[in-house]
Structures are given as structure tokens and as C-alpha cells.
């Protein structure tokens, strides 16, 4: 009776360790949204930004309140022609001190950015409307910049959202301690079987 109880106990423990170590883990997906850009002075361009859908659930806005912090993982906005200083310019996440994008995952309500790469600048003012190179500084909290001689009104239009990569941080494999535990349990089961045969 004791040997049967011993066997059942350790088989149950082995099964528990196997189940715990091989249980499926929900992996986050990094999402990427792309959009097109057109300006009233002939500017054209494209842009994209990425976020983690486990951090920001579907139906929620993305925001970027201070430089390089917030919901966005990356940004790339390229604009050419028109009043772009230098003919073409690109903004990255490090250039952007603010963004308001609603709503994940399709952004059918708004795309606005506040960025400055030292040569060109963007100021979000209304739904899908951004000002390129605002020349009149109204100070902190400027939400409706005046359009100066070198400014253009840009319209950002949603294009598509796709899964960029799957977050590989949680990997559903057995760790070192799980392997050690399984080795020990298998050793005990082997010893029990040898003990049972000798009896």
C-alpha cells in the first residue's frame, strides 16, 4: 500500500511540474500603424508608429506627453516638397515631445504630432491637422498656432494597422529549476521502480 501511495504521489508531482512549465503564455503583439501625409503647399509624405497592444488595449488612445516617453515605441514621419526646409525631412520618436492618436487599432478619429528635429517642426492643431513649420510662437500651451509665411497645413490620413512582431520576452519553455526538478522526480521514480523490482 505504501509503495502504491508513493508512486501516485510522485507521478502527480511530476505531472504538476510538467504542466506548470509548459503552460501556454500569452504573447504581446507589437502593432504598427501607417498613415499618409498631404499638405496645402504640395507636401507629401508617409508615417508610421508602433505600440504594444498589451500596454494599450484596443479602443484606447495613444499619447506621448514628454520626449521619448509614453505609449509609443517608435515613430518615423517623412515629409517632402512644399515648404519643407531642405526639401525632405524625417522625424523620429526622439524628435517628438507630444502625440495624441485615437483610437487603437485603426485611428479613425485623430492623428496629431508635436515634433521638432532642429530643422523642421510639426504642431498638431485639429483632428488630423498638423502645422508644418509654425513661424509664430505663442508660448507654452500653444494649441492653435498662427500660420506664418513658411507654414503649411498638413493632413494625416490613416492607412492600415498590422502586427509588426510578436514580443518574444515570455518564452514558453522549461527553465533551469524546472529541468532540475524534473530530473530529481524522474530519479526518484526510477529508484522506486528498482526498489519495487528487488522486493
Amino acid at each position: 500500500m505504501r509503495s502504491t501511495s508513493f508512486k501516485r504521489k510522485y507521478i502527480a508531482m511530476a505531472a504538476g511540474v510538467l504542466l506548470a512549465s509548459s503552460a501556454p503564455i500569452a504573447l504581446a503583439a507589437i502593432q504598427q500603424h501607417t498613415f499618409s501625409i498631404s499638405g496645402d503647399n504640395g507636401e507629401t509624405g508617409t508615417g508610421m508608429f508602433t505600440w504594444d497592444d498589451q500596454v494599450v488595449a484596443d479602443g484606447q488612445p495613444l499619447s506621448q506627453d514628454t520626449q521619448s516617453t509614453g505609449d509609443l515605441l517608435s515613430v518615423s514621419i517623412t515629409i517632402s516638397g512644399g515648404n519643407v526646409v531642405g526639401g525632405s525631412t524625417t522625424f523620429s520618436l526622439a524628435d517628438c515631445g507630444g502625440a495624441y492618436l485615437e483610437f487603437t487599432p485603426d485611428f479613425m478619429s485623430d492623428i496629431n504630432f508635436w515634433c521638432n528635429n532642429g530643422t523642421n517642426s510639426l504642431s498638431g492643431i485639429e483632428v488630423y491637422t498638423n502645422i508644418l513649420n509654425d513661424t509664430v510662437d505663442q508660448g507654452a500651451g500653444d494649441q492653435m498656432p498662427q500660420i506664418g509665411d513658411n507654414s503649411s497645413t498638413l493632413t494625416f490620413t490613416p492607412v492600415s494597422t498590422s502586427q509588426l512582431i510578436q514580443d518574444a520576452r515570455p518564452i514558453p519553455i522549461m527553465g533551469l529549476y524546472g529541468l532540475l526538478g524534473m530530473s530529481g522526480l524522474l530519479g526518484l521514480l526510477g529508484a522506486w521502480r528498482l526498489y519495487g523490482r528487488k522486493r
Side-chain angles (χ1 to χ4, degrees):
M1 291 292 289
R2 290 182 62 187
S3 62
T4 302
S5 174
F6 179 87
K7 178 180 179 182
R8 288 178 179 170
K9 176 180 177 182
Y10 282 96
I11 286 177
M13 287 177 64
V17 171
L18 275 173
L19 287 172
S21 61
S22 62
I25 298 173
L27 298 179
I30 306 304
Q31 303 290 333
Q32 175 180 276
H33 181 76
T34 58
F35 55 94
S36 63
I37 303 168
S38 58
D40 62 355
N41 284 303
E43 296 85 0
T44 59
T46 58
M48 76 84 186
F49 51 87
T50 62
W51 74 99
D52 186 331
D53 68 0
Q54 274 200 339
V55 175
V56 181
D58 285 358
Q60 298 299 311
L62 299 178
S63 62
Q64 201 78 5
D65 296 326
T66 58
Q67 195 170 47
S68 298
T69 62
D71 299 325
L72 298 177
L73 300 177
S74 66
V75 170
S76 179
I77 303 170
T78 300
I79 309 167
S80 301
N83 290 326
V84 176
V85 176
S88 181
T89 193
T90 298
F91 300 96
S92 67
L93 178 61
D95 301 321
C96 298
Y100 194 74
L101 315 158
E102 58 181 12
F103 294 98
T104 62
D106 298 320
F107 304 95
M108 300 305 292
S109 296
D110 194 11
I111 297 177
N112 265 313
F113 281 94
W114 289 262
C115 307
N116 191 320
N117 60 14
T119 305
N120 291 276
S121 65
L122 284 175
S123 301
I125 58 169
E126 294 174 353
V127 174
Y128 296 122
T129 305
N130 295 254
I131 295 298
L132 173 67
N133 295 330
D134 172 23
T135 58
V136 179
D137 184 4
Q138 297 184 35
D142 180 6
Q143 294 297 311
M144 294 292 290
Q146 299 298 311
I147 299 175
D149 293 340
N150 296 320
S151 298
S152 295
T153 301
L154 305 181
T155 301
F156 288 14
T157 304
V159 174
S160 65
T161 297
S162 60
Q163 180 175 304
L164 184 63
I165 59 172
Q166 199 169 49
D167 191 342
R169 284 172 295 178
I171 302 174
I173 61 172
M174 189 181 299
L176 174 62
Y177 292 112
L179 289 171
L180 291 173
M182 278 303 300
S183 298
L185 287 171
L186 290 172
L188 287 172
L189 287 172
W192 176 84
R193 288 184 64 84
L194 287 172
Y195 175 75
R197 284 180 181 176
K198 287 181 180 178
R199 291 188 65 187

